[in-house]
Each structure stands twice: as C-alpha cells, then as structure tokens.
Amino acid sequence: MAHNKRNSAGPSQTGISVPNVTATDSETDVINLGESDTVVGAISEPLTRRTAVGRATLVWRRMRRMPTFWIGSSVLLLLVLAAIIMPMVYQYTPIEYDYANQLKGPSQYHWFGTNAQGQDLFAQIMVGLRISLVVGFGTAIVVTVLAAFFGTLAGYFGGALDWGVVNLINFLLVVPSLLMMLLLSPILQGAHWIFMVPLLAIFSWMLTARVLRALTQGLVNMEYVQAAKFMGVPHRKIIMRHIIPNISSWMIIDTTLGVGGAILAETGLSFLGFGILYPNFSLGSVLQGYNIAFPHTWVPAAIILAMLVVSINMVGEALRDALDPTSGRGH
C-alpha cells in the first residue's frame, strides 16, 4: 500500500504557502497531477524541478502498467524502424519498373507484389510510411505550437487580443477546412511534400487553442501568478514558468492523439490526388493505385495504415490515462 509522505503546507519566506514535496517512489503514487505546486521566487525553481521529476516518475510508473502502452509502443517502434531502415536496404526502389512482373502477387522478389506498372509495392509502402510519419508528427507539433501561442496569449492578456484571437478561431472553424485544403493543394503540388505540414496545421489548431485559452484563463487568477505580476516578473517569464508547465500535460496528450488525425488527413488528401504526388509516396498515394481485382495492391497498405493509426492512438490513450489524475485506469 502506498504510503503518503507529503507533509502539510507551511508558510514560506514570501508568505506564500509552499507544499513540501519529496519525489520518492511511494510518494509519487499520491501526487495529484492536476494540482499546481509552482510558487514564486527563488524557492519555486528547485521545488518545480523536484516536482517535475516526481511527476515524470509517476507517469512512467502508471504507463508501464498498461498493456495498451506496451502493445502500441512496440508496434509503433517496429513501423518507425521499418520506415527508416527498409528503404535503405531493400533491393528495389519505389519508382523502379519491372515490366515482366506487372500485377504479380507477393513473392520472394517482390514481398508485397507489384502494381500495374510493375513497381514494387513494398518499396512504395515503406517510403510512404516514412513520409506519412514525418507529416503526422510534424503537423501535430506545429498545431500544438500554434495553439499554445494563440491560446496562452489570448487567455493571459485578455482584452482586445483575446477578442481578436477568439474571432479568428471562430472564423476558421466555420471555414470548411477540407474544401480549403483541396483548393490550396494544387498550388503546392510543385512544391516539396513537406509543405503538407503547414497546410494541415493551419486548419487544425483552433480547437486546441480554445482549450488552452480556457486553461490559461483559469491559471491567470491563481495566487502565484498574481504574485508574480505584483513582483514585476515579465509576462514572458510568467507564461513560460507558470502557465506553460501547468498546461503541458494536456498539450502532450493532444499532440500525441493529433498525430493519428494528421496522418489520416494527409492520407485522405493523397488518396484523392491532392496530397503527396509522384515521384513521392505516402500510404494514401499507394492506396490510390488500388485494383479491386488484385487485393495485394491495396490490402498491405491498408493494414499498415491501420496499424500505424491504432498504435499511435493506443500510446496516446495510455499517456492520457497516466497524466489524468481522475482516470481510474491510470492507477
């Protein structure tokens, strides 16, 4: 049975209640991740570091108890390693033609068979998997950065800035994002495929920004933030030291779960012919060349796509359960 060593809060030299936290293994079972332990002044930094270590330890202990985390992370790791290594060691390139073996099924020479042009499907899927991973993770990170920037600024400063950001978010939410991406995609067809990242991110950050704005508005009225303002701490430091760390758990969860959504969005655009184009490949562009009479032209790519999205979501769900103190599955 976990033993709680957390002492009651006592007055600090600044007159602000400072929780006495020691990051031991037994104690980390009872630390409430939703509670802010941040305080103002010189005392706060070592305490924040110590509390951060305790939180990381607790999150890891919770995650390693979850089968979904191990299954999802193992599958995801295998896919990532395959996407990195296989295109470098496989005997065929994705654009190499083999006219003598068009629409041939899997064999020792073509592991996933060939398409109507005699191109190796395994080589195309591995290269497409690599690009889909880069687009998925890149988009999720850019979305989180944009949402954190606009959400925290609007929630912290309020006033005209908050009004402007809220109206910008409302405007972008009513714009049909899929239609806009379809219209903008032809403009980027001559550009590098990496431009899919900002294209997807521009139409994906609004809901996350709304949540971060609401969380920031709640934190702005906390005593330690008000005390920091009263002591003349610059706004930039207050946001980076007291706002961002307290909403970082939600940001990490949203980023992880956003990877799967970004991959599906990119795959959908590529399947429709508006995303990654030849001679580059994504899982969507491989699926675009399907032939219903030859299942090997689309089944392997569909299975890889499903494994990728499901494994990422399993890791994200496990991370959410570990970070959410109200989740019964996290204990």
Side-chain angles (χ1 to χ4, degrees):
M1 178 177 179
H3 175 66
N4 185 359
K5 294 182 179 179
R6 188 172 185 170
N7 299 327
S8 58
S12 68
Q13 295 177 355
T14 60
I16 299 172
S17 178
V18 181
N20 186 6
V21 178
T22 305
T24 62
D25 288 344
S26 59
E27 173 188 77
T28 53
D29 276 332
V30 295
I31 293 177
N32 186 348
L33 294 178
E35 179 182 353
S36 172
D37 290 325
T38 309
V39 293
V40 181
I43 298 175
S44 66
E45 293 191 5
L47 179 61
T48 301
R49 286 195 295 270
R50 193 167 53 193
T51 305
V53 173
R55 288 178 177 177
T57 304
L58 174 58
V59 169
W60 170 242
R61 290 183 61 186
R62 286 178 175 175
M63 289 186 68
R64 71 185 184 185
R65 297 172 188 163
M66 301 177 188
T68 55
F69 166 72
W70 291 109
I71 296 173
S73 59
S74 299
V75 173
L76 180 60
L77 180 61
L78 288 175
L79 292 176
V80 171
L81 291 177
I84 295 173
I85 297 173
M86 295 312 297
M88 295 187 292
V89 302
Y90 193 60
Q91 57 184 331
Y92 296 104
T93 64
I95 59 174
E96 189 173 346
Y97 293 95
D98 185 358
Y99 295 109
N101 292 292
Q102 295 176 329
L103 287 176
K104 293 293 184 182
S107 66
Q108 60 177 328
Y109 303 106
H110 301 283
W111 294 357
F112 286 170
T114 60
N115 60 14
Q117 291 76 39
Q119 295 171 319
D120 189 272
L121 287 171
F122 182 80
Q124 292 186 353
I125 290 174
M126 289 299 107
V127 172
L129 176 62
R130 177 190 291 181
I131 293 179
S132 293
L133 282 169
V134 173
V135 172
F137 280 95
T139 302
I141 293 172
V142 174
V143 165
T144 301
V145 171
L146 287 175
F149 178 77
F150 287 104
T152 54
L153 289 183
Y156 181 83
F157 290 104
L161 180 60
D162 183 43
W163 181 87
V165 171
V166 169
N167 281 280
L168 175 63
I169 291 174
N170 291 336
F171 171 75
L172 291 175
L173 284 176
V174 300
V175 173
S177 56
L178 178 60
L179 177 62
M180 292 301 297
M181 285 189 282
L182 292 176
L183 293 175
L184 293 175
S185 292
I187 301 175
L188 301 176
Q189 285 186 357
H192 194 275
W193 58 266
I194 198 65
F195 282 98
M196 284 298 298
V197 172
L199 177 65
L200 293 173
I202 287 174
F203 297 100
S204 306
W205 61 273
M206 294 81 73
L207 292 178
T208 304
R210 264 190 170 180
V211 176
L212 295 181
R213 168 180 169 270
L215 294 174
T216 303
Q217 286 176 330
L219 291 170
V220 166
N221 296 320
M222 300 294 288
E223 289 183 356
Y224 57 89
V225 176
Q226 293 296 325
K229 287 183 176 180
F230 179 77
M231 295 170 65
V233 178
H235 296 307
R236 179 179 58 82
K237 290 187 177 180
I238 294 176
I239 292 174
M240 296 304 296
R241 289 182 180 178
H242 302 305
I243 302 297
I244 296 296
N246 282 286
I247 61 177
S248 60
S249 298
W250 199 92
M251 292 167 60
I252 293 171
I253 296 170
D254 187 73
T255 302
T256 306
L257 295 177
V259 174
I263 290 174
L264 289 177
E266 177 275 322
T267 302
L269 287 175
S270 299
F271 181 79
L272 295 174
F274 292 93
I276 308 297
L277 300 178
Y278 189 87
N280 297 307
F281 294 92
S282 78
L283 294 177
S285 61
V286 175
L287 287 170
Q288 187 189 30
Y290 76 96
N291 187 324
I292 197 66
F294 298 91
H296 72 272
T297 58
W298 57 275
V299 170
I303 292 175
I304 294 292
L305 176 62
M307 291 174 60
L308 177 61
V309 175
V310 171
S311 63
I312 291 173
N313 285 342
M314 290 177 71
V315 174
E317 292 287 343
L319 185 60
R320 182 178 63 184
D321 292 340
L323 288 169
D324 184 2
T326 63
S327 173
R329 290 179 297 174
H331 298 278

